Amino acid sequence: MDRLFKIFLLGVKELRSLWADPVLIVLIVYTFTFAIYAVATGANFEVENAAVAVVDEDRSMISARLRDALIEPFFKRPVLVNANEIDEVMDAGRFVFVIEIPPKFERDLIAGRRPTVQIDVDATAMSQAGNGASYIQNIITQEVAIAFPDSSSAQPLSLVVRAKFNPNLRSAWFTAVMQVINNVTMLAVILSGAALIREREHGTIEHLLVMPVTPIEIMLAKIWANGLVIVAAATLSLIVVVERLLGVPVAGSLALFVAATVLYQFSVTALGILVATFSTSMAQFGLLVMPMLVMMNLLSGSTTPMESMPGWLQNMMQMSPSTHFVALSQAILYRGADIRIVWPEMVMLSGIASLFFLIAALRFRKSLLNDR
């Protein structure tokens, strides 16, 4: 109990030090409020207000119908251009899509032939290009099938798609939650590392060295104090910003997510302390931690699916706690998974956290002895 009381008091000291640092306070508030809202509402992957041009060489009722089917908010009002202007307008970046309707298009449909409609796509915006081309293809197919139900160009079967967990296919539902998860990783590493470096820069590390506390107690205090701040901020952000402000439903248990976040904090805060033991200043710590955070966020499955990565990279990323945290967070928050589904990921998180803590504790002890 005496050791636990020491850890508690040291943690309170950490919280007071954090509260006295206005830059870090502003960073925490910004990261879990405006940064999440701005990215969720600004970084859209669906097609919205895409510029589209039409080369109508048929000038028939069906070609006019196809133009009228390209409606807002997915597309801007279609602009008619000539065939010899396609390269010019595409090179200038005026249009993302150019639809070429060939001559005698309506006559060929009536005769039962299968005419071809060409779609030129500016694929520099990959997400919008891929989704928009699919939208246009579906629009053309549906309009032709409605206008000529007996035409051979109609689809031989009816394909019904049902989207689960995100029925409206809104990217904000995915982006908002993933921003919370990624920001948990970033701030946990930064705050825990900054706590140690702040001790050195302010000269208070010497005070700790003469106190009747062990390096493990000092480290545990920094972990629980900074982890508490991150868990509380992430939970409030999930409730206030994601659920209330952005209207994103959380399907699963918030308590289970908080428990998983506590496990995750144990590993990433230890990682932050480990990196800080190799740094002598905040500038050096920032240079060391930036590439690590980029890799943990981009390759954890929060940006692209793990299945799309090479096999060797998937295996390597299994040693990253962020990979398992992203997997169980998506299962809980999106699909409503319970402990029976996510317990393997939580076991992996526990094992990785123990390993990181052991390595960080050994390095932290050696660093304090060197300072002594």
Side-chain angles (χ1 to χ4, degrees), residues 78-96:
V79 177
L80 287 172
V81 297
N82 297 323
N84 58 1
E85 298 176 326
I86 294 177
D87 289 339
E88 179 183 350
V89 296
M90 293 285 286
D91 291 343
R94 290 176 52 193
F95 301 102
V96 180

Side-chain angles (χ1 to χ4, degrees), residues 249-269:
V250 174
S253 168
L254 188 60
L256 182 59
F257 172 74
V258 171
T261 307
V262 171
L263 274 179
Y264 181 60
Q265 286 302 295
F266 197 75
S267 60
V268 287
T269 49

Side-chain angles (χ1 to χ4, degrees), residues 49-110:
N49 293 323
V52 58
V54 177
V55 178
D56 189 354
E57 297 181 323
D58 188 39
R59 302 286 178 169
S60 61
M61 291 295 294
I62 185 62
S63 64
R65 180 168 182 160
L66 294 180
R67 295 200 309 270
D68 293 338
L70 302 172
I71 58 175
E72 298 177 347
F74 304 109
F75 304 97
K76 294 180 180 179
R77 183 179 295 275
V79 177
L80 287 172
V81 297
N82 297 323
N84 58 1
E85 298 176 326
I86 294 177
D87 289 339
E88 179 183 350
V89 296
M90 293 285 286
D91 291 343
R94 290 176 52 193
F95 301 102
V96 180
F97 307 98
V98 176
I99 304 172
E100 299 183 55
I101 303 176
K104 301 179 182 180
F105 178 68
E106 186 177 66
R107 184 185 305 176
D108 289 341
L109 287 174
I110 295 173

